[in-house]
Amino acid sequence: MTFTKSRLAAMFGATLLAGAAMGGVAMAYQGHMFAARNALYAARTQLIASAHNKGGHRVAALRAVDAAIHQVNIGIRVGR
């Protein structure tokens, strides 16, 4: 699956907007957690856009990023 630069930019922008929208008022209290989650979403977007599997390491990295996003989301819920 290949992506154009404009498509990647749109995906990245949408990711940041979604993170900000989900953050809302809680952003002031958990800014680092929301920033970490946004960075993970950005990393996920880049991994998805990668052209090759890299011997299985790209898929392994995607799984690790997904697991990290899940853990950050749990941490945000606990911190509320």
Side-chain angles (χ1 to χ4, degrees), residues 12-39:
F12 182 71
T15 299
L16 290 179
L17 285 175
M22 289 191 292
V25 175
M27 182 78 122
Y29 302 109
Q30 298 192 54
H32 293 293
M33 292 295 277
F34 286 101
R37 184 171 64 185
N38 287 342

Side-chain angles (χ1 to χ4, degrees), residues 26-69:
M27 182 78 122
Y29 302 109
Q30 298 192 54
H32 293 293
M33 292 295 277
F34 286 101
R37 184 171 64 185
N38 287 342
L40 288 165
Y41 278 128
R44 189 177 195 287
T45 299
Q46 293 301 314
L47 287 167
I48 289 170
S50 180
H52 301 287
N53 192 21
K54 317 292 189 232
H57 295 286
R58 184 183 68 86
V59 171
L62 268 169
R63 287 186 186 131
V65 168
D66 286 342
I69 290 169

Side-chain angles (χ1 to χ4, degrees), residues 61-80:
L62 268 169
R63 287 186 186 131
V65 168
D66 286 342
I69 290 169
H70 179 72
Q71 290 300 317
V72 169
N73 286 335
I74 291 170
I76 289 169
R77 279 194 300 261
V78 170
R80 287 190 174 155

